[in-house]
Amino acid sequence: MAVGITSCGYHVPFCRLEREKIGQAWARRTGKGERAAIYFDEDALTLGLEAAQRCIEDKGKSGIDGFYFASASAPFRQRSSASFMAAACDLPSECETSDFSGTIRSATSALRAGVDALSSGRLSRVLIAAGEVRDGQPEESEEEWFGDAGSAVMIGREGVIAEILGCASRSDDLLDEWRRDTDGFIQTQSSRFATERGYQANLVAVGQTLLKKHNVQPQEIAKVIIPSPDGRAHVNAAKKLGFQDAQIQSPLFQEIGACGSAAPLLLLAAALETAKPGECLLLLSYGEGADGVLLRVTDEISKRKLSGSLSDHLSEKRLYPSYSIYKKMRSYFAENEDGPELSNVFLAKEEKQNVRLYGTHCLHCGTRQYPIARVCISCKNHDSLQEVPLERTGSVFTFTRDHLYVAADSPTIMGVVDVDQGGRLYLQMTDVDPEDVRVGDQVVLTLRRRKEGPTMHHYYWKCRPVR
């Protein structure tokens, strides 16, 4: 059976900033549209994890033996984000994990590595996630052009909706975008030269190589998918390859912005929402060279049932009222290191409960409870208790608005959530207007930044409305 995409996922932050707000802050003209912007408890890891969880909700996690994470803005310089995310997805320790970083084409590099692992027979089912939080220099154009997002694909041999016909890659050490270990912002030398000699030349070269290798003409491609650094450059690259306007996938620049390594898989998901069996797609991504992936949509896509479209996902949003609040949300934890210093002994002991989200199931009366307990809270049985993974969905049993809790955005909604299939958790709510919360609301559990310790980022589960 052929190797290919079996599921796609994405997560665009609930919050956005209108580009005109950036212009007002710096007294200059800006482009139209919005940039997707993280809430104070999000980072590249949480964005990628949310996208990966959507793939698991779609296809389950049984048989996943590889988890790759791609990002040029991962929250850890040395700590495997992929290993932490695999634990949060409750994947077994035998699951191979790898981190891909250093370039905005790291997601397609991870995809190529996953295809090789499956084609060789070494792995059978790989989940690839990407997450990006992108900060341009204040007052420069990149500050408004960049956006934050997460995306993911699952690849395998069964239930393939888009067969991968081939991949290609090339490298080019042209100085275009970079970030040193001492930089707080992405540095650029954006210019017509960088766009034509770097972005356009590499995308065209890798696209031509792939089409020639597989003897495919541009008119045989239904969609060419190219992330855009500015909302315009992708059109020129596509036309250099011989594509017409109708064949060019929208880069969602007006709605999200240029979201780095998260963009290729996010745009692929968007293209697959309207793709038909037999159509060919060409996915290209840029970053110190370029990657290309040629795909053919299978009959399996007709059986796919989407819970919602990307346009629906994007339509649910909250606009930051000012540039100052947008900046506060991005710097809150860097300026508020008030979390505890936890030992690795404690973290290892609590991982199953706090990261993998296990509770206790009573085999005597069927009660599920959290945290893990030695005695059933209902029948007091202590002989037949089983540790089980809790569902990641539920409903609000009750809640309160806490105006005293110190956070970047007040009030903090504290909710008691009844988890589907049993169990009750006391959680913070996120991605919600406090006035919109109601008892009975359906929610999804989401791993977010909770506190900032002196030497460590701390994560814990919160809940958000179903989107």
Side-chain angles (χ1 to χ4, degrees):
M1 288 183 284
V3 172
I5 308 293
T6 62
S7 182
C8 297
Y10 44 77
H11 181 76
V12 179
F14 183 57
C15 298
R16 317 287 163 73
L17 181 69
E18 295 162 295
R19 292 192 170 103
E20 65 180 22
K21 292 283 193 313
I22 299 175
Q24 291 167 7
W26 298 111
R28 67 173 178 82
R29 296 181 63 182
T30 57
K32 297 178 180 178
E34 305 159 356
R35 63 157 295 165
I38 53 167
Y39 197 43
F40 77 99
D41 57 3
E42 293 180 298
D43 60 22
L45 185 155
T46 67
L47 296 175
L49 180 61
E50 282 257 16
Q53 287 180 308
R54 288 178 187 270
C55 290
I56 290 177
E57 289 167 12
D58 181 29
K59 293 294 183 181
K61 61 185 179 184
S62 176
I64 295 177
D65 50 8
F67 187 104
Y68 298 165
F69 178 58
S71 177
S73 55
F76 296 103
R77 290 279 180 83
Q78 181 180 339
R79 184 189 182 188
S80 172
S81 297
S83 296
F84 181 55
M85 295 163 74
C89 292
D90 193 29
L91 299 177
S93 299
E94 293 73 22
C95 177
E96 176 182 297
T97 57
S98 295
D99 293 80
F100 293 75
S101 62
T103 172
I104 56 174
R105 65 180 168 101
S106 53
T108 46
S109 298
L111 177 58
R112 290 192 296 107
V115 171
D116 288 345
L118 264 67
S119 299
S120 69
R122 187 168 59 81
L123 299 178
S124 58
R125 201 173 179 214
V126 179
L127 182 53
I128 301 160
E132 209 72 89
V133 174
R134 309 196 76 206
D135 285 301
Q137 284 278 5
E139 206 173 351
E140 297 296 328
S141 297
E142 285 76 13
E143 187 178 35
E144 60 168 293
W145 291 350
F146 289 165
D148 311 325
S151 58
V153 295
M154 191 178 289
I155 58 174
R157 292 182 179 277
E158 297 182 358
V160 170
I161 58 174
E163 176 188 358
I164 294 176
L165 301 177
C167 302
S169 184
R170 58 184 277 118
S171 65
D172 181 8
D173 186 35
L174 177 77
L175 194 61
D176 186 354
E177 281 187 14
W178 70 96
R179 187 159 62 90
R180 298 172 297 180
D181 55 355
T182 54
D183 288 333
F185 305 100
I186 297 170
Q187 310 286 344
T188 70
Q189 287 190 3
S190 57
S191 64
R192 183 173 177 178
F193 170 76
T195 300
E196 294 184 353
R197 165 62 183 78
Y199 175 86
Q200 182 174 293
N202 282 288
L203 290 172
V204 170
V206 81
Q208 289 175 335
T209 298
L210 202 50
L211 293 175
K212 183 178 180 181
K213 181 178 179 181
H214 293 273
N215 195 28
V216 176
Q217 300 300 313
Q219 56 269 29
E220 298 176 68
I221 300 291
K223 286 288 182 185
V224 58
I225 305 158
I226 310 176
S228 182
D230 56 9
R232 304 180 303 274
H234 68 291
V235 175
N236 292 333
K239 292 196 170 181
K240 286 276 184 183
L241 279 164
F243 294 102
Q244 304 299 312
D245 288 339
Q247 294 173 281
I248 303 172
Q249 174 68 35
S250 166
L252 299 174
F253 187 81
Q254 299 291 333
E255 297 85 353
I256 300 173
C259 53
S261 67
L265 305 186
L266 175 68
L267 300 180
L268 174 60
L272 285 171
E273 284 188 353
T274 57
K276 295 179 175 56
E279 289 183 345
C280 286
L281 307 175
L282 179 62
L283 171 65
L284 303 176
S285 78
Y286 168 70
E288 295 78 39
D291 289 334
V293 183
L294 183 63
L295 307 101
R296 181 167 55 212
V297 182
T298 72
D299 293 339
E300 196 71 24
I301 202 160
S302 303
K303 305 174 186 175
R304 191 166 68 144
K305 295 181 180 178
L306 294 173
S307 57
S309 67
L310 178 57
S311 60
D312 291 337
H313 183 74
L314 294 175
S315 68
E316 296 187 44
K317 60 187 176 182
R318 172 186 177 189
L319 297 175
Y320 282 131
S322 70
Y323 177 78
S324 300
I325 292 177
Y326 155 80
K327 293 293 286 184
K328 176 185 177 184
M329 295 297 168
R330 301 180 84 78
S331 60
Y332 178 74
F333 280 125
E335 299 169 355
N336 292 273
E337 296 180 352
D338 56 352
E341 185 74 270
L342 300 178
S343 74
N344 58 358
V345 175
F346 177 81
L347 290 170
K349 180 182 176 183
E350 301 287 323
E351 189 216 41
K352 192 170 188 179
Q353 171 184 286
N354 294 340
V355 179
R356 294 182 180 270
L357 200 64
Y358 273 59
T360 303
H361 177 73
C362 178
L363 298 176
H364 182 69
C365 70
T367 298
R368 285 194 177 190
Q369 63 190 88
Y370 182 90
I372 294 173
R374 293 187 175 183
V375 179
C376 174
I377 195 172
S378 180
C379 71
K380 313 306 179 188
N381 160 54
H382 57 80
D383 294 327
S384 52
L385 298 173
Q386 186 178 34
E387 294 180 1
V388 295
L390 300 181
E391 297 294 321
R392 308 293 173 90
T393 55
S395 59
V396 176
F397 173 74
T398 189
F399 69 93
T400 187
R401 302 185 183 96
D402 189 338
H403 291 264
L404 300 179
Y405 184 83
V406 178
D409 196 12
S410 186
T412 298
I413 303 298
M414 301 301 303
V416 176
V417 174
D418 283 337
V419 178
D420 293 341
Q421 308 301 321
R424 177 172 286 180
L425 282 76
Y426 184 53
L427 300 169
Q428 289 184 12
M429 292 192 74
T430 189
D431 290 357
V432 66
D433 187 322
E435 299 301 322
D436 291 341
V437 182
R438 298 289 183 274
V439 170
D441 282 353
Q442 298 297 303
V443 295
V444 174
L445 272 58
T446 175
L447 196 76
R448 295 293 178 92
R449 291 274 284 274
R450 178 69 184 275
K451 288 286 186 180
E452 190 71 7
T455 62
M456 180 57 63
H457 308 312
H458 294 311
Y459 296 81
Y460 190 62
W461 295 94
K462 297 186 178 183
C463 66
R464 63 166 176 80
V466 174
R467 293 170 57 201

